[in-house]
């Protein structure tokens, strides 16, 4: 409270002194004067000269203290002209910056007052213009004159830092005095007046780790060997105070967060001296065994650790890699293990920093070692075949039960369980082979044919007796060895042609052979004629000794009239042991050729006709054939005409003579069609054959109750009824028959096309045009024509 009172008293005294000083300056008339605006001289009465009077109207500036908060307006100064006699005829006018708003003038006395509190930091000075005019005429009495009102500064603004919070980094282990960051504050007060803007920096929080320069604001380290691993972040408070740091000055503060950055000043260290690990012997190479980790308190690249195996009996069996995400060393299996061979391994693993700082090399060495012991665990392993694959051979056509070969597998475990063998039947679908489950002997089940399958690729399983899930599989390839069991044959179906005018020893065809056996059983074919025709008078054979043979003409002159076809047997033998042979027949045709040997015709009949018959003979033969055909047609026609009078068409007989003129075929639902096989010979069913030479004298009436209802859909019953009636009718003529219509099925969209009832019902259809269609449609015209037609016929 005492300090505040002293500050207030000090400020009041300063304000009072400045006010008196400004008032004195405002009312003081400066020594410099200017001539009046009325002219240099005036003429009065004639002959009287009036001398120019001097008047003062100049001033430079006024002063007003800022932030004045008194009850009355502050008197800034007073304007006065020498010509002002005090009678009120002069009017003072003020214009310029703030005139009439901030600054007001008494137009009679010239006193200027400030009506508002001024802030130097907002505006340091104002430029105004003063003018003296005649109150009555507004005529200027003095020239306009500018003056400046300056706002006098007081210490009313505290220092302010550019940022409220600062962040800085400095390496750990830095020397004392290492620059960290510079903080800067500013003061809005006038730096040219007093000490209001003279700043001094000091540290309020952060000792004894850091210090700050009082004049520059640079923060420096104050303690040596600061360790990031012990404390990484520091909070420092810096103060800036004006008035040169003296009592009564204003101050401002800022916070600085300083982080120690890491350097590689710590070597890696394993937390234990020995690591124990285990791995199954069934593990595959590349499988992870375990992990080790050396701790390094450094971070980033300074904490990177690389692992390596530098010694131990497991260097060839294991390897180690670095997981840089977790900074761990990953021990992995390099080769397959065998518990029965070696049960444990030892490794010496080293962990070393990747990046080393030369400044701290004395803290080294930056590496550490540890011992890793790995125990191999026994695993239940599947059987193992002695070979990765087997290849056997067997002769084709070998008898059933022939031994092909033997496979063998063993249990690698210490228990050495018994093994059972089996063939994967997916690889032997035809079951050519069988295996002995005890000893692994593979035998044939049936004869093999090399020409059908030359190689058999099967798979054999080996399974432990007491552990069926432990099995192994091995491929077995069986080669079928060729046996000379196929005789050679013609390579193609040869058919040779020889000209009638062929010359002796002329070659007319070359033949070759094929043998299904392997080349070892037929390296060269031997062609020959059978012994019985070795001296064939027509043809001879020449073996070309290159698996081909040429057939030649032995004699000259062949005749198609005598013989146009020759069958020449040829014997082909292979070179196998024992050799096989076959006799193949070559067909040789005799053909007519021109003088150049080009083929013309091989037809013997054409040759005979051309030689023995003339054109007239051929025409006569054709005429005879045509006459015979005409006689046959006439005979058939007459026979049909004799039978027609036996048929009597009467209206009441229509129901007994149903003629089929078209087969409509089944409809959409024709699933109950009648088998017409029963209608093929209805007369011979009961052994009764009706007479065929007379017309019955009366019509047989069917028994009542046998005919189905007109709307019945059971066509089968309808037909059977008609068949029974016809079979039991002794007077039925041969022309009385029942024809069937194909059943269309229920619900046909087209409806029925039958015309059975068209003769007994009124119909809109007119069938008279059938009379004009010829005799083939005479029966239809008689059945479906008009009644007039029937009457006329009768």
């Amino acid at each position: 409270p005492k300090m505040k009172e002293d500050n207030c008293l000090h400020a009041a005294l300063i304000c009072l002194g400045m006010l008196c000083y400004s008032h004195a300056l405002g009312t003081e008339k400066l020594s410099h004067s200017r001539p009046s605006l009325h002219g240099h001289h005036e003429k009065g009465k004639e002959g009287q000269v009036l001398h120019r009077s001097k008047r003062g109207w100049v001033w430079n500036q006024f002063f007003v203290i800022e932030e004045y908060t008194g009850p009355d307006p502050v008197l800034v100064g007073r304007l006065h002209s020498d010509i002002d006699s005090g009678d009120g005829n002069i009017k003072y006018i003020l214009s310029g910056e703030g005139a009439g708003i901030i600054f007001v003038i008494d137009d009679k006395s010239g006193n200027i007052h400030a009506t508002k509190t001024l802030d130097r930091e907002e505006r340091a000075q104002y430029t105004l213009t003063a003018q003296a005019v005649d109150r009555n005429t507004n005529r200027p009495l003095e020239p306009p004159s500018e003056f400046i009102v300056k706002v006098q500064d007081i210490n009313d603004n505290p220092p302010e830092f550019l940022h409220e919070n600062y962040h800085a980094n400095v390496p750990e282990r830095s020397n004392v005095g290492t620059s960290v960051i510079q903080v800067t504050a500013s003061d809005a007060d006038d730096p040219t007046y007093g000490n209001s803007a003279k700043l001094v920096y000091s540290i309020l929080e952060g000792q004894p780790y850091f210090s700050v320069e009082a004049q520059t604001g640079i923060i420096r380290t104050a303690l040596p060997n600061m360790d990031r691993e012990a404390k990484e972040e520091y909070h420092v408070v810096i103060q800036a105070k004006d008035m040169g740091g003296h009592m009564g000055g204003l101050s401002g503060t800022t916070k600085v967060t300083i982080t120690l950055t890491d350097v590689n000043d710590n070597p890696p260290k394993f937390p234990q001296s020995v690591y124990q690990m285990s791995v199954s012997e069934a593990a595959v190479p590349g499988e992870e065994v375990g992990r080790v980790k050396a701790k390094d308190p450094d971070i980033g690249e300074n904490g990177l650790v690389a692992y390596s195996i530098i010694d131990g009996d497991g260097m060839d069996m294991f390897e180690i890699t670095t997981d840089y995400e977790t900074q761990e060393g990953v021990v992995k299996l390099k080769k397959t293990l065998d518990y029965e061979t070696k049960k444990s391994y030892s490794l010496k693993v080293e962990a070393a920093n990747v990046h080393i700082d030369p400044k701290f090399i004395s803290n080294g060495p930056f590496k550490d070692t540890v011992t890793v012991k790995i125990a191999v665990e026994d695993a239940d392993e599947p059987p193992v075949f002695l070979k990765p694959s087997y290849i056997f051979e067997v002769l084709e056509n070998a008898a059933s039960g022939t031994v092909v070969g033997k496979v063998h597998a063993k249990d690698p475990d210490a228990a050495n369980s018994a093994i059972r063998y089996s063939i994967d039947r997916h690889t032997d679908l035809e079951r050519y082979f069988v295996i002995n489950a005890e000893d692994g002997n593979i035998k044939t089940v049936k004869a093999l044919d090399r020409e059908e399958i030359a190689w058999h690729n099967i798979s054999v399983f080996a399974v432990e007796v007491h552990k069926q899930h432990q099995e192994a599989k091995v491929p077995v390839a069986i080669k079928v060895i060729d046996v000379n069991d196929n005789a050679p044959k013609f390579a193609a179906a040869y058919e040779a042609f020889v000209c009638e005018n062929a010359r002796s020893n002329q070659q007319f065809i070359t033949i070759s052979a094929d043998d299904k056996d392997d080349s070892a059983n037929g390296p060269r074919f031997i062609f020959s004629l059978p012994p019985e025709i070795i001296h064939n008078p027509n043809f001879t054979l020449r073996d070309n000794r290159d698996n081909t043979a040429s057939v030649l003409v032995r004699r000259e002159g062949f005749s198609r009239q005598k013989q146009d076809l020759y069958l020449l047997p040829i014997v082909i033998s292979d070179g196998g042991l024992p050799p096989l042979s076959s006799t193949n027949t070559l067909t040789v045709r005799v053909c007519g050729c021109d003088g150049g040997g080009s083929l013309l015709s091989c037809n013997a009949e054409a040759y005979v006709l051309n030689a023995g018959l003339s054109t007239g003979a051929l025409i006569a033969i054709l005429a005879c054939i045509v006459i015979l055909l005409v006689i046959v047609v006439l005979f058939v026609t007459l026979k049909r005409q004799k039978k027609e009078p036996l048929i009597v068409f009467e209206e009441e007989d229509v129901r007994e003579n149903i003629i089929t003129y078209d087969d409509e075929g089944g409809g959409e639902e024709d699933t109950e069609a009648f088998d017409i096989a029963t209608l093929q010979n209805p007369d011979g069913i009961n052994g009764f054959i009706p007479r065929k030479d007379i017309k019955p004298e009366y019509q047989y009436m069917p028994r009542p109750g046998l005919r189905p209802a007109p709307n019945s859909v059971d066509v089968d019953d309808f037909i059977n009824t008609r068949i029974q009636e016809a079979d039991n009718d002794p007077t039925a003529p041969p022309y009385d028959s029942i024809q069937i219509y194909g059943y269309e099925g229920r619900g046909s969209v087209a409806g029925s096309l039958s015309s059975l009832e068209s003769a007994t019902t009124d119909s809109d259809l007119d069938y008279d045009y059938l009379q004009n269609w010829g005799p083939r449609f005479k029966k239809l015209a008689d059945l479906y024509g008009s009644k007039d037609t029937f009457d006329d016929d009768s």
Side-chain angles (χ1 to χ4, degrees):
K2 183 178 181 181
M3 183 179 294
K4 291 183 179 179
E5 291 177 359
D6 292 341
N7 292 337
C8 294
L9 179 61
H10 182 67
L13 292 175
I14 292 175
C15 292
L16 182 60
M18 294 302 297
L19 182 61
C20 295
Y21 174 71
S22 63
H23 180 73
L25 289 176
T27 55
E28 180 182 1
K29 184 166 64 174
L30 303 179
S31 60
H32 183 71
S33 61
R34 287 186 177 181
S36 172
L37 296 177
H38 298 290
H40 295 285
H41 57 81
E42 296 179 357
K43 288 185 179 182
K45 297 179 181 180
E46 184 178 352
Q48 185 179 2
V49 178
L50 299 177
H51 295 282
R52 181 177 59 185
S53 59
K54 297 180 180 179
R55 291 179 292 276
W57 180 248
V58 176
W59 49 85
N60 287 330
Q61 59 186 3
F62 294 141
F63 293 89
V64 59
I65 195 166
E66 67 170 335
E67 303 293 346
Y68 176 75
T69 57
D72 298 324
V74 178
L75 178 62
V76 177
R78 181 183 179 188
L79 301 181
H80 184 73
S81 176
D82 291 342
I83 63 174
D84 186 2
S85 59
D87 55 2
N89 291 327
I90 295 178
K91 180 180 179 182
Y92 295 96
I93 300 174
L94 185 66
S95 63
E97 298 174 345
I101 300 175
I102 300 176
F103 302 102
V104 295
I105 188 171
D106 187 345
D107 60 354
K108 292 182 179 180
S109 62
N111 292 332
I112 300 174
H113 292 83
T115 61
K116 294 184 178 180
T117 301
L118 302 181
D119 186 359
R120 190 201 68 82
E121 287 71 37
E122 181 179 348
R123 190 172 188 129
Q125 64 182 22
Y126 298 86
T127 301
L128 300 172
T129 301
Q131 194 174 9
V133 298
D134 187 285
R135 184 179 297 274
N136 297 322
T137 62
N138 287 328
R139 183 175 58 86
L141 300 179
E142 295 284 359
S145 180
E146 288 187 353
F147 66 95
I148 295 174
V149 177
K150 285 190 174 182
V151 181
Q152 189 66 45
D153 181 52
I154 63 172
N155 189 19
D156 60 341
N157 290 279
E160 293 183 358
F161 284 92
L162 298 180
H163 303 285
E164 184 178 354
N165 294 286
Y166 288 85
H167 296 273
N169 298 322
V170 63
E172 64 173 332
R173 308 286 183 181
S174 296
N175 296 327
V176 175
T178 301
S179 176
V180 179
I181 191 176
Q182 181 178 14
V183 294
T184 303
S186 61
D187 196 321
D189 293 326
D190 189 0
T192 62
Y193 179 75
N195 294 327
S196 298
K198 186 177 181 180
L199 304 180
V200 174
Y201 298 94
S202 60
I203 183 169
L204 300 182
E205 295 181 16
Q207 302 96 338
Y209 306 103
F210 300 95
S211 63
V212 63
E213 292 183 356
Q215 304 301 324
T216 61
I218 297 176
I219 301 175
R220 300 181 182 274
T221 58
L223 282 181
N225 297 324
M226 284 191 291
D227 190 4
R228 185 200 65 83
E229 287 73 33
K231 186 177 182 181
E232 183 176 4
E233 192 174 81
Y234 296 85
H235 297 281
V236 178
V237 178
I238 302 296
Q239 181 189 62
K241 190 174 183 180
D242 59 11
M243 299 299 293
H246 294 93
M247 183 179 298
L250 303 179
S251 63
T253 60
T254 185
K255 294 180 180 180
V256 182
T257 301
I258 301 175
T259 303
L260 297 182
T261 58
D262 184 64
V263 297
N264 191 11
D265 57 339
N266 295 281
K269 186 70 175 176
F270 284 105
Q272 58 196 68
S273 59
V274 178
Y275 283 88
Q276 298 285 348
M277 300 180 184
S278 61
V279 60
S280 172
E281 64 172 335
V284 296
E287 187 172 333
E288 181 178 329
V289 178
R291 295 187 174 219
V292 298
K293 184 175 183 179
K295 295 183 178 179
D296 190 333
D298 297 322
I299 60 175
E301 66 176 12
N302 297 317
L304 294 180
V305 178
Y307 298 87
S308 61
I309 300 175
I310 60 175
D311 197 5
D313 57 1
M315 291 183 65
D316 296 334
M317 306 299 294
F318 300 92
E319 62 182 355
I320 190 168
T321 59
T322 303
D323 186 347
Y324 287 103
E325 292 185 359
T326 60
Q327 292 299 304
E328 293 177 322
V330 183
V331 180
K332 295 182 179 181
L333 184 62
K334 190 176 181 181
K335 296 181 180 179
T336 304
L337 301 173
D338 186 7
Y339 173 81
E340 288 72 25
T341 303
K342 189 174 178 61
K343 297 180 176 59
S344 64
Y345 295 90
S346 178
L347 302 174
K348 188 174 183 180
V349 176
E350 180 184 79
N353 278 139
V354 178
H355 302 282
I356 299 177
D357 194 340
K359 296 179 181 178
F360 306 98
I361 195 68
S362 59
N363 295 1
F366 286 85
K367 57 186 178 180
D368 194 16
T369 59
V370 71
T371 300
V372 179
K373 294 184 178 181
I374 303 174
V376 180
E377 297 178 348
D378 187 21
D380 188 8
E381 301 175 84
V384 177
F385 282 94
L386 299 185
K387 294 182 180 180
S389 62
Y390 292 87
I391 299 177
F392 300 131
E393 294 181 350
V394 62
L395 290 173
E396 68 172 326
N397 301 327
S400 176
T402 300
V403 177
V404 176
K406 181 179 181 180
V407 297
H408 184 68
K410 66 176 183 178
D411 182 11
D413 298 323
N416 194 16
S417 301
I419 305 298
R420 293 292 181 268
Y421 303 94
S422 63
I423 295 177
D424 183 1
R425 288 305 170 188
H426 293 91
T427 62
D428 185 25
L429 297 176
E430 298 296 331
R431 295 183 177 271
Y432 288 106
F433 306 98
V434 67
I435 191 171
N436 190 309
E438 303 292 336
D439 57 13
N441 276 321
I442 302 175
K443 297 180 181 180
T444 60
V445 177
K446 51 187 175 180
L448 305 178
D449 187 359
R450 188 203 68 86
E451 287 71 42
E452 182 179 352
I453 303 177
W455 284 86
H456 294 266
N457 297 301
I458 64 174
S459 297
V460 175
F461 289 114
V463 182
E464 295 183 17
V465 175
H466 302 293
K467 299 175 182 178
Q468 297 294 328
H469 64 283
Q470 293 291 0
E471 68 176 14
K473 186 177 181 180
V474 67
V476 178
I478 302 174
K479 180 181 179 181
V480 181
I481 301 175
D482 184 48
V483 174
N484 192 19
D485 58 347
N486 290 277
K489 297 180 180 180
F490 276 159
Y494 293 109
E495 186 174 2
F497 302 91
V498 63
C499 295
E500 289 181 307
N501 56 356
R503 299 186 307 275
S504 177
N505 293 327
Q506 180 181 351
Q507 175 182 337
F508 61 89
I509 189 171
T510 300
I511 60 175
S512 62
D514 282 339
D515 193 333
K516 293 182 180 180
D517 292 323
D518 190 50
S519 59
N521 288 312
R524 193 180 75 80
F525 299 119
I526 301 172
F527 298 86
S528 63
L529 295 177
E532 61 271 13
I533 61 168
I534 191 66
H535 299 293
N536 187 299
N538 299 315
F539 306 102
T540 183
L541 185 68
R542 183 179 63 203
D543 193 337
N544 297 325
R545 298 183 179 276
D546 60 354
N547 291 332
T548 64
S550 299
V551 183
L552 298 87
V553 177
R554 182 183 289 271
R555 64 181 178 86
E556 293 183 358
F558 290 88
S559 175
R560 283 183 287 174
Q561 291 179 330
K562 294 181 179 180
Q563 186 174 353
D564 63 340
L565 184 67
Y566 293 90
L567 300 177
L568 179 63
I570 298 175
V571 178
I572 308 175
S573 301
D574 58 20
L577 293 176
L580 295 180
S581 62
S582 65
T583 301
N584 302 264
T585 302
L586 177 64
T587 302
V588 181
R589 290 186 178 275
V590 180
C591 301
C593 303
D594 59 11
S598 298
L599 186 66
L600 294 179
S601 174
C602 296
N603 193 338
E605 289 77 6
Y607 178 84
V608 173
L609 289 175
N610 292 333
L613 294 177
S614 62
T615 304
L618 292 175
I619 294 175
I621 293 173
L622 293 176
C624 292
I625 295 174
V626 171
I627 293 172
L628 290 175
L629 291 175
V630 171
I631 293 173
V632 172
V633 172
L634 291 175
F635 177 78
V636 173
T637 303
L638 292 174
K639 187 176 181 180
R640 290 184 178 179
Q641 290 179 354
K642 290 180 180 180
K643 292 183 178 181
E644 288 180 357
L646 296 176
I647 303 175
V648 178
F649 292 92
E650 295 181 1
E651 184 176 358
E652 62 273 10
D653 295 333
V654 173
R655 59 184 179 83
E656 298 293 335
N657 296 276
I658 301 174
I659 307 299
T660 297
Y661 60 88
D662 192 7
D663 187 4
E664 299 180 4
E668 291 84 353
E669 299 179 8
D670 187 5
T671 59
E672 301 177 1
F674 178 73
D675 186 5
I676 65 171
T678 58
L679 301 180
Q680 296 298 326
N681 188 14
D683 297 334
I685 295 177
N686 298 322
F688 175 76
I689 300 175
R691 296 184 63 182
K692 301 181 180 179
D693 55 345
I694 62 173
K695 176 182 178 183
E697 296 179 357
Y698 64 93
Q699 296 292 332
Y700 172 75
M701 297 303 294
R703 293 191 303 272
L706 295 178
R707 181 177 298 180
N711 295 329
S712 173
V713 295
D714 194 343
V715 178
D716 189 27
D717 292 342
F718 174 79
I719 294 176
N720 290 332
T721 302
R722 285 305 180 95
I723 291 173
Q724 185 177 4
E725 292 175 1
D727 292 343
N728 297 328
D729 187 3
T731 62
Y735 55 83
D736 188 5
S737 63
I738 298 176
Q739 304 296 331
I740 65 169
Y741 292 88
Y743 177 52
E744 297 178 3
R746 300 181 180 88
S748 173
V749 178
S752 176
L753 300 178
S754 175
S755 302
L756 291 176
E757 299 179 359
S758 60
T760 58
T761 59
D762 295 335
S763 175
D764 296 336
L765 298 178
D766 185 6
Y767 297 99
D768 292 341
Y769 57 86
L770 295 176
Q771 299 291 339
N772 300 324
W773 283 15
R776 299 183 67 178
F777 295 92
K778 186 174 183 304
K779 293 181 180 180
L780 289 177
D782 294 339
L783 288 172
Y784 299 102
S786 62
K787 291 185 178 181
D788 297 339
T789 303
F790 287 114
D791 296 338
D792 294 340
D793 293 340
S794 62

